[in-house]
Amino acid sequence: MAGLGCAPAAWEEHHRLALDGSGTSVIRLSADLLPDGGAEDASLALSNELAAEGLTVVRTRARRRGQVEAEVRFDSVTALCDAPLLRRDCTLRETGDGGFDLAMTAVPRPAASPRPGEDIEIRVRTEGRIMEHNSDGRLQRGNVLSWGRPLDRFLGEGLDVRVRTDGTSVFAATARIVLRSALIAVGIVGIGLTLLVLEGRRRLRRERAAAG
């Protein structure tokens, strides 16, 4: 039961987006959800289904439990959405603060029917801090979100992904927080040491006055 509870989703997408809309994705799914139902070489079939202008398939490989995985690079997330396997509506608009608004309506169309209990998960990791989103999941580290639902419902209704970021990278924001905290800590220590020195001098003067 524990093993089943940790089973991977039948369809997974992990997208990593830079501020200019380019990025990398890892797409993992059950081979029988490919258009040919896994009858042909699954890795080759997945590579063909991800062929699109502005999209480069870095590698594909077979995984356990009948899954196949591909890693891709894209010049724009709209190029990713033009891949035959995905074929979804995507818009990416720059915001005034250097971030972007991403709207993705995900409706993949695998030929095979999903089995009961199969799920889809779409995970997005952005370079900039996420300021607004429509995910029911918890925002992680300021720039990671997940969307998930049963695969049969997903195929019938689709899934809307909405993300808005600002132009500040999470690394830069974290570095500023760490630097600010370090400066505050140094300031507190400096004030404490100054007070200790002043108190020590006052005591020394009192002791000398008492001795004289």
Side-chain angles (χ1 to χ4, degrees):
M1 292 179 65
L4 290 174
C6 296
W11 188 298
E12 297 178 77
E13 302 175 23
H14 296 184
H15 307 297
R16 186 165 186 168
L17 299 175
L19 289 173
D20 63 358
S22 64
T24 60
S25 294
V26 174
I27 298 173
R28 186 181 303 130
L29 68 155
S30 297
D32 60 2
L33 293 179
L34 288 166
D36 66 355
E40 303 296 333
D41 181 274
S43 296
L44 179 59
L46 181 57
S47 180
N48 292 335
E49 286 295 320
L50 291 172
E53 185 177 356
L55 186 67
T56 302
V57 178
V58 178
R59 64 174 176 86
T60 59
R61 65 181 180 126
R63 292 172 53 88
R64 295 182 300 173
R65 298 177 179 175
Q67 287 197 323
V68 62
E69 176 184 280
E71 179 182 347
V72 299
R73 287 197 303 264
F74 49 88
D75 300 331
S76 170
V77 69
T78 54
L80 177 70
C81 294
D82 285 338
L85 182 69
L86 304 178
R87 290 296 186 210
R88 57 187 58 165
D89 294 329
C90 289
T91 58
L92 187 79
R93 297 186 178 90
E94 295 183 358
T95 59
D97 56 6
F100 61 75
D101 275 313
L102 170 65
M104 176 191 294
T105 300
V107 189
R109 303 174 181 86
S113 299
R115 294 178 292 270
E118 290 184 322
D119 297 321
I120 181 171
E121 179 187 12
I122 297 178
R123 177 178 290 246
V124 175
R125 179 174 182 175
T126 63
E127 182 182 356
R129 296 179 301 179
I130 294 177
M131 310 305 291
E132 297 178 15
H133 62 86
N134 69 335
S135 171
D136 293 333
R138 181 174 61 87
L139 180 61
Q140 302 176 40
R141 298 189 296 275
N143 69 333
V144 180
L145 279 172
S146 295
W147 290 257
R149 65 177 46 179
L151 188 57
D152 54 354
R153 180 185 166 196
F154 168 66
L155 295 176
E157 304 174 5
L159 181 62
D160 287 329
V161 174
R162 300 288 185 271
V163 177
R164 183 184 185 279
T165 75
D166 67 4
T168 304
S169 71
V170 173
F171 175 79
T174 302
R176 281 203 296 266
I177 292 173
V178 171
L179 179 60
R180 188 182 302 117
S181 300
L183 290 174
I184 292 173
V186 169
I188 291 174
V189 171
I191 292 173
L193 290 175
T194 300
L195 292 175
L196 287 174
V197 170
L198 293 176
E199 179 64 21
R201 289 178 177 176
R202 283 195 294 269
R203 290 185 179 182
L204 183 60
R205 285 197 296 268
R206 285 198 298 268
E207 289 175 357
R208 287 176 178 174

